[in-house]
Amino acid sequence: MHIPTAEQTAAAEAFPTGAHLVIQAGAGTGKTTTLAMLAYTARRQRRTGRYVAFNRTVARHAARTFPAEVTCGTAYALAYTAVGRHYQARLKAPRQAGWRTGTALGIEDGMRLRIGPRKVNNKALSYTVLRTVTRFCQSADKEIAHHHVPPLRGAESEPLHTQLAGLVLPYARRAWADLQHPDHGVVRFEHDHYLKMWALSAPVIPADFFLLDEAQDTNPVVEQVLTAQRDHAQLVLVGDSAQAIYGWRGARDVMTGFDGTHLSLSRSFRFGPALAAEANRWLTIVSAPIRLTGAPHRETELCRLPTPKAILCRTNVGAMVEVIRQLETGRRVALAGGGETLSALARAARDLASGRRTAHPELMLFETWSELREYAEFDPAGRDLLPLVELLDEHGADAVLRALDQLSPEDSAQVTVSTAHRAKGREWSSVRIADDFTGPDDLDERDEDGAPLPGPVDLDEARLAYVAVTRARSQLDIGGLSWINTHPAGDPRPGINVPKPRRPMNPPATLQKPAT
């Protein structure tokens, strides 16, 4: 055991008072070690508690660290014990295509409805109905409403979304009613469903205290349940507000503004002072409540890295481009989370390019490849799909799929490619930031030399950048984020070896199209 820092000691001293706590724990600052200190303090007080983790893997790891008086699990585990076990028969039902579920709910096979310039078929409508129910289940709302209907690619504007919601909501409410029956129904029963049912029952969970991990990315339905326990139990919210990167799927930072004693962990054990300074640039941009101090015994270098251990990408499409680029160099490549997500996207693109519509949620509103290309080239909402279009136009979907089949397991790979979202909670010795992290658009205004002024940094993008740069232990190539070095918000400090901005690399050029 290392000697606790002053901040860890402060948390351990505040916990026995019974006050609700908020602990801002920066990247690599010993969060789990600190929580274990609190748990053993509670043991001496003969108090029992619950540690609520983001997923089962984290919960199992915590169970090996915490004393037996602290039950470690997920919110889903609590909900399953109370409600989900009554729906076992439906949880074990075989999977079926979403459009078949839609047909059972009354969506006619073969129907086609126009929403603005797009046509919505029965498959797209069925998918949207099921996603609407899931989004409702992740919310704190009591009824399904307009804002639970997910926006669809190609129909993002509010008038088109309102039109879509009018079509979707009657079927979504019918689906939710179907899910109330424990033994029968047409909608496949999922874990989100019993979690919502449990939350709607306003449960009271027996415990003296709760430790909520990753509190900056809490689903509103979990927030609703746990904050309702504060009248009889001590709440400790732990996380990093600057790593709140799942707002796009409804998660919320419950730490900011929470009524409790606010503490922090700012000494990182993962990396040295140079990387801490880089991280602090992004923390400053998002107005985070902490700034990091690097471990003095660690030397982390910011430099060019032609062969890093990990490459972190902004998007799935960017990861696809980077996988192919690395395979072309002859390296053994792993993809964090596996290749099925990218393969499904490549197969969907192949369907469109072959003149067939696809049920893939990213592309299902497009009837032709040319329609998708136009959207990616000219609609700002589709700009992140442009590398996919260029990649498939250059090489063909079959060549991309063959490349994805060459992926290696992580334990035998020379480089791991990951999205920044999937990299959260992980670390590597050396990391390069991929080129699909791009800076903000220029403003119409110009400086005194006539050059366009850069636009403001998007805060969600800055949080994702902070997550990405703090995955490295020894070496970091900021690559696609190097635009920050010339942006007014970057404030590069003298004495820090930051790479100069570089132009984004083109997609891989050596893959051959399949013979025709």
Side-chain angles (χ1 to χ4, degrees), residues 141-188:
D141 302 322
K142 292 184 177 180
E143 296 180 349
I144 298 177
H146 170 278
H147 60 277
H148 298 129
V149 179
L152 295 182
R153 287 277 197 172
E156 294 93 346
S157 70
E158 184 54 36
L160 296 184
H161 184 259
T162 298
Q163 188 180 350
L164 177 67
L167 296 172
V168 167
L169 287 175
Y171 295 110
R173 290 168 181 143
R174 192 177 301 173
W176 181 242
D178 173 89
L179 290 164
Q180 306 310 305
H181 306 290
D183 301 316
H184 66 275
V186 300
V187 181
R188 178 177 167 82

Side-chain angles (χ1 to χ4, degrees), residues 2-20:
H2 71 272
I3 299 174
T5 66
E7 291 173 324
Q8 290 175 320
T9 301
E13 291 175 348
F15 179 65
T17 68
H20 300 305

Side-chain angles (χ1 to χ4, degrees), residues 257-325:
F258 184 81
D259 183 14
T261 301
H262 286 247
L263 303 168
S264 62
L265 301 175
S266 61
R267 161 77 175 276
S268 182
F269 300 94
R270 180 180 298 161
F271 43 74
L275 202 152
E278 175 63 31
N280 287 339
R281 294 206 286 176
W282 301 100
L283 291 172
T284 300
I285 290 171
V286 301
S287 301
I290 61 172
R291 300 293 182 271
L292 295 180
T293 301
H297 63 280
R298 280 192 176 274
E299 183 176 340
T300 306
E301 183 184 9
L302 274 70
C303 58
R304 295 271 190 250
L305 290 175
T307 55
K309 292 294 185 182
I311 301 172
L312 305 186
C313 306
R314 173 66 184 84
T315 64
N316 280 322
V317 173
M320 185 184 295
V321 171
E322 197 60 62
V323 162
I324 295 171
R325 184 179 294 154

